[in-house]
Amino acid sequence: MDPHQHLNKTAESESSEKKKTRRCNGFKMFLAALSFSYIARALGGIIMKMSITQIERRFDISSSLAGLIDGSFEIGNLLVIVFVSYFGSKLHRPKLIGIGCLLMGTGGILTALPHFFMGYYRYSKETHINPSENSTSSLSTCLINQTLSFNRTSPEILEKGCVKESGSHMWMYVFMGNMLRGIGESPIVPLGISYIDDFAKEGRSSLYVGSLNAIGMIGPVTGFILGSLFAKMYVDIGYVDLSTIRITPKDSRWVGAWWLGFLVSGLFSITSSIPFFFLPQNPNKPQKERKVSLSSHVLKTNDERNQTANLTNRGKKVTKNVTGFFQSLKSLLTNPLYVIFVLLTLLQISSFIGSFTYVFKYMEQQYGQSASQANFLLGVITIPTIATGMFLGGYIIKKFKLSLVGIAKLSLLTSIISFLFQLIYFPLICESKSVAGLTLTYDGNNSVASHIDVPLSYCNSECNCDESQWEPICGNNGITYLSPCLAGCKSLSGIKKSTVFYNCSCVEVTGLQNRNYSAHLGECPRDDACTRKFYIYVAIQVINSLFSATGGTVCILLIVKIVQPELKALAMGFHSMVIRTLGGILAPIYYGTLIDKTCMKWSTNSCGVRGACRIYNSVFFGRVYLGLSMALRFSALVLYIVFIFVMKKKFQGKDTKASDNERKVVDEANLEFLNNSEHFVPSAGADSKTCNLDMQDNAAAN
């Protein structure tokens, strides 16, 4: 062989190997970067859900307003989803994803920003108690609330009065930060999946997507751990002497270090954005390769000559496309199967979103669990249970080769079982706490018909107390009193958390024989019967989540079969828009509004403005919270039966077996569901949430 030919072949071989290496390295770098972005988006989502109760207390706002803040993520996502869906694939996808991660991180930091400008958290605006160390004070006429003061905030903060109260409009920064996080999150999944689909080797895209979503599970796991840890820390940790703080994590006024979670997730998102700015638009080409050939210059010249004609043609095409869009939309909205499917999934997903948004509050108020305990417990029971249920559902479909009607029946069956298990939650509702002035008369002897304007008793009528204050103490008779003054206490000893009040006249009249009429700071704990109910609640939660996940992750197969093939992308996109608008945004708001109705005692700031709720009517709260979810789910079940009946009629005699490719979609849906932690399923209502998220992603990718 000619030496020159040998050298040429060697050079060609080396060049080919370099191209393969370049492609391999570029694509693998993209996968690695995308993995970190998946973790970042899941981490930010779960941190927001776990912090919503802390945010409500810190900013002294109602649950309905907290629900609006939570829904701002969906508002931000909706603002740009059309742009991302249409223009994303035409632009530099890695850089767009990088910009999205950067915005997502900026949103997280913006959410935490108010903490550094609001001053110290004042967990009690009405009562100021500051006994000298190891001293005992005897006070006449019960004027403890006016003569005692804890030093928990600087004089400068106190002097600013109501202008700097935590219930001010600083919550708007959290709203905007969460909205910005929604904007930044929108390009990650659709553009990431489409990039993988374009440049992955044949048949490998499903493996890569599955691996990405499995890696993304690190986000929820980390989020639950961090959320539990930060909820134990006091909000002003590092700024105040923690030994001076007299409330505990189980106190209804406790606010954990919620801002730390957003700082961590925000910084991680910003860090994950960096690699994307150094990745090529096309991994098959080097970054510095000439992107415009000579022929493209010729084409460009020809385009300039015919610019006027092209503009005219484009105008006609736009008009044609707009007309075609409305015709396609009309075709969808006149499809009974599609309309029923959208309505039933909207009801199911609204039930899920609303219940998950306030499940941490429910566990705190109903069973007396701290935010840290609730966060950790939900993380432990949710992730493995949901994962098991989803893969079990996929296995059943593959094992028995279910048709589409069979898949719908499986989803209906598991939804019914989950619904029946959720009925067991009602007997597990604990009785409302015994609180003098709210559920009992101030002397503790009789129950009251309403918590509004309960009259003072002879045991505290001469104490000159402020009835609006909230400084709960637990009498040794097991009754909680709104304040030491309203309990008729006349002396105290100890400091901070160990403060004990004595000679409490309202405790005295409850019939104690030992005449030890004392009380200590904080609400009385739940009784043993309620604690046992909590353990049963957790067990039912596990079973409920398992059945919900088993049948709730495969409905993407249904939507692609009930519409014409050319309308699949529009059908999934419209479905996602309806779910995000009417479910993701509205559900937390109307759930929060109804929960606010169950409040028995509101905080008030120095301006007299109502703030956050301090204590709820447990029975009423449980019935409203569970009843609303059950009503939505029951309506969805009725529509599901109608949906199956109409589907059987339409597909009677047709082959509707799920193909191998469609079953791959099920596998990807299962994995994708785990990664979407901003709507993570802790309880019943998991059904069909995957449909929402997967269909959005697929619609955007198409």
Side-chain angles (χ1 to χ4, degrees):
M1 181 184 292
D2 186 16
H4 293 289
Q5 292 180 350
H6 178 73
L7 289 172
N8 288 337
K9 286 185 177 180
T10 303
E12 289 176 2
S13 176
E14 290 177 353
S15 176
S16 176
E17 287 179 3
K18 285 182 179 179
K19 287 182 179 179
K20 289 181 180 179
T21 302
R22 185 186 303 124
R23 175 180 177 179
C24 180
N25 290 342
F27 186 71
K28 285 185 176 179
M29 285 296 295
F30 177 81
L31 285 178
L34 194 62
S35 298
F36 281 103
S37 69
Y38 266 52
I39 295 172
R41 63 190 281 268
L43 176 62
I46 205 68
I47 288 293
M48 171 54 75
K49 287 294 183 183
M50 296 173 72
S51 302
I52 201 69
T53 302
Q54 310 287 320
I55 290 171
E56 180 181 330
R57 294 173 183 171
R58 180 64 181 97
F59 294 90
D60 224 6
I61 57 178
S62 63
S63 295
S64 56
L65 188 51
L68 176 63
I69 292 174
D70 182 69
S72 63
F73 176 88
E74 305 291 357
I75 296 174
N77 207 283
L78 284 171
L79 289 176
V80 296
I81 192 63
V82 174
F83 172 83
V84 170
S85 301
Y86 185 77
F87 294 103
S89 60
K90 299 175 174 60
L91 302 175
H92 197 298
R93 282 175 286 187
K95 286 186 178 178
L96 276 181
I97 295 174
I99 293 171
C101 290
L102 189 62
L103 289 175
M104 195 164 59
T106 304
I109 293 175
L110 179 61
T111 301
L113 207 58
H115 169 75
F116 301 97
F117 299 101
M118 291 178 63
Y120 302 140
Y121 171 54
R122 297 175 57 197
Y123 49 81
S124 180
K125 303 171 181 62
E126 307 91 351
T127 308
H128 309 289
I129 303 177
N130 188 18
S132 59
E133 191 168 339
N134 297 326
S135 67
T136 301
S137 302
S138 295
L139 303 167
S140 60
T141 64
C142 321
L143 294 179
I144 297 175
N145 62 313
Q146 295 183 15
T147 60
L148 306 172
S149 176
F150 270 112
N151 292 327
R152 65 194 161 277
T153 184
S154 63
E156 292 80 12
I157 299 297
L158 291 173
E159 289 173 2
K160 292 181 181 179
C162 64
V163 178
K164 288 294 184 180
E165 287 287 348
S166 61
S168 66
H169 297 297
M170 293 290 281
W171 60 266
M172 294 185 68
Y173 288 97
V174 182
F175 179 91
M176 292 187 292
N178 200 35
M179 182 187 293
L180 191 61
R181 194 174 63 83
I183 293 173
E185 189 265 354
S186 58
I188 294 176
V189 173
L191 299 190
I193 299 300
S194 65
Y195 192 90
I196 291 172
D197 190 56
D198 287 345
F199 299 114
K201 291 181 180 179
E202 190 70 26
R204 293 282 187 91
S205 59
S206 296
L207 174 63
Y208 291 140
V209 171
S211 301
L212 274 174
N213 289 301
I215 293 171
M217 278 298 297
I218 298 173
V221 173
T222 307
F224 276 116
I225 294 173
L226 290 179
S228 178
L229 178 64
F230 294 151
K232 287 181 182 178
M233 301 178 182
Y234 185 63
V235 61
D236 291 321
I237 185 170
Y239 295 92
V240 297
D241 182 4
L242 297 182
S243 64
T244 64
I245 306 303
R246 70 179 185 274
I247 59 174
T248 66
K250 288 195 174 184
D251 194 292
S252 63
R253 296 164 295 173
W254 177 269
V255 176
W258 63 275
W259 52 277
L260 272 176
F262 290 104
L263 280 184
V264 171
S265 63
L267 291 174
F268 185 79
S269 295
I270 291 174
T271 303
S272 69
S273 72
I274 296 173
F276 289 105
F277 295 102
F278 299 95
L279 292 172
Q281 183 174 5
N282 184 343
N284 298 328
K285 297 180 181 180
Q287 286 269 42
K288 296 182 180 179
E289 185 175 304
R290 292 181 62 196
K291 297 179 181 178
V292 183
S293 64
L294 180 61
S295 59
S296 66
H297 282 293
V298 175
L299 289 173
K300 185 177 179 181
T301 304
N302 291 336
D303 286 341
E304 290 174 354
R305 292 174 183 173
N306 299 300
Q307 188 175 15
T308 305
N310 285 343
L311 288 173
T312 303
N313 292 333
R314 285 176 187 172
K316 293 179 180 179
K317 287 180 180 179
V318 169
T319 304
K320 185 178 179 181
N321 288 339
V322 171
T323 305
F325 169 78
F326 284 108
Q327 289 177 346
S328 299
L329 187 60
K330 180 182 178 182
S331 178
L332 282 180
L333 297 180
T334 53
N335 182 339
L337 271 178
Y338 180 76
V339 173
I340 295 172
F341 181 83
V342 170
L343 290 176
L344 74 88
T345 51
L346 173 62
L347 291 170
Q348 284 181 317
I349 294 167
S350 295
S351 170
F352 156 70
I353 294 174
S355 61
F356 181 36
T357 301
Y358 298 102
V359 69
F360 302 100
K361 179 191 287 288
Y362 180 77
M363 292 177 69
E364 290 178 50
Q365 291 289 331
Q366 193 66 229
Y367 302 108
Q369 301 297 308
S370 68
S372 176
Q373 291 171 324
N375 293 344
F376 181 76
L377 190 61
L378 283 177
V380 169
I381 67 175
T382 296
I383 296 176
T385 304
I386 296 298
T388 302
M390 288 188 299
F391 287 111
L392 180 62
Y395 174 78
I396 292 173
I397 291 172
K398 287 185 177 182
K399 177 70 175 178
F400 297 100
K401 298 180 180 179
L402 297 180
S403 65
L404 289 175
V405 175
I407 292 172
K409 287 181 178 179
L410 172 65
S411 186
L412 174 62
L413 176 63
T414 55
S415 296
I416 291 174
I417 295 174
S418 176
F419 179 84
L420 294 176
F421 271 108
Q422 194 170 8
L423 289 174
I424 303 176
Y425 289 150
F426 284 95
L428 300 179
I429 295 175
C430 293
E431 291 295 324
S432 295
K433 288 183 177 181
S434 298
V435 183
L438 294 178
T439 62
L440 301 172
T441 55
Y442 281 104
D443 59 18
N445 289 329
N446 302 297
S447 60
V448 295
S450 172
H451 64 273
I452 301 173
D453 296 329
V454 176
L456 294 174
S457 175
Y458 57 86
C459 64
N460 60 9
S461 59
E462 297 180 358
C463 290
N464 193 24
C465 302
D466 180 4
E467 297 178 51
S468 67
Q469 69 183 31
W470 176 257
E471 188 66 52
I473 62 172
C474 179
N476 59 357
N477 56 356
I479 297 175
T480 299
Y481 296 85
L482 301 181
S483 70
C485 179
L486 288 169
C489 301
K490 299 176 179 64
S491 62
L492 72 159
S493 67
I495 59 170
K496 311 308 175 186
K497 296 177 184 177
S498 60
T499 301
V500 179
F501 299 88
Y502 298 103
N503 300 321
C504 302
S505 56
C506 290
V507 179
E508 179 180 354
V509 296
T510 57
L512 289 175
Q513 299 301 317
N514 59 5
R515 304 187 64 82
N516 181 21
Y517 313 129
S518 63
H520 59 83
L521 281 174
E523 298 176 44
C524 295
R526 286 290 191 178
D527 57 20
D528 293 338
C530 187
T531 302
R532 287 193 294 271
K533 287 183 178 181
F534 173 68
Y535 294 137
I536 300 173
Y537 170 83
V538 172
I540 299 300
Q541 188 89 292
V542 172
I543 300 172
N544 198 7
S545 298
L546 179 67
F547 280 104
S548 295
T550 299
T553 60
V554 294
C555 60
I556 192 172
L557 291 181
L558 300 176
I559 198 170
V560 299
K561 279 292 185 181
I562 60 178
V563 299
Q564 298 94 314
E566 65 274 11
L567 297 179
K568 288 179 184 178
L570 179 61
M572 291 187 289
F574 182 79
H575 178 271
S576 175
M577 184 190 70
V578 171
I579 297 302
R580 285 186 175 273
T581 304
L582 301 181
I585 297 174
L586 294 184
I589 296 175
Y590 60 72
Y591 260 83
T593 301
L594 290 177
I595 289 173
D596 284 339
K597 301 292 184 184
T598 70
C599 182
M600 294 194 297
K601 180 69 175 179
W602 294 92
S603 68
T604 54
N605 61 22
S606 58
C607 300
V609 177
R610 194 181 80 174
C613 184
R614 295 307 190 195
I615 188 170
Y616 294 86
N617 183 315
S618 298
V619 176
F620 194 17
F621 185 5
R623 289 174 180 172
V624 167
Y625 175 77
L626 297 174
L628 181 56
S629 295
M630 296 297 289
L632 292 171
R633 287 171 59 79
F634 180 77
S635 302
L637 288 177
V638 173
L639 286 177
Y640 228 133
I641 295 172
V642 175
F643 177 77
I644 292 174
F645 177 78
V646 176
M647 178 183 278
K648 287 177 69 175
K649 203 170 181 181
K650 180 175 181 179
F651 291 110
Q652 190 172 11
K654 295 183 180 179
D655 182 17
T656 57
K657 295 285 184 182
S659 67
D660 290 337
N661 288 335
E662 288 168 337
R663 280 190 281 270
K664 285 181 181 178
V665 174
V666 175
D667 294 336
E668 293 179 11
N670 289 341
L671 288 164
E672 172 63 14
F673 178 73
L674 286 170
N675 192 35
N676 289 278
S677 62
E678 66 271 14
H679 299 304
F680 212 81
V681 182
S683 60
D687 323 271
S688 77
K689 182 57 189 173
T690 308
C691 289
N692 173 29
L693 297 162
D694 281 325
M695 283 187 276
Q696 172 206 338
D697 299 341
N698 282 280
N702 289 338

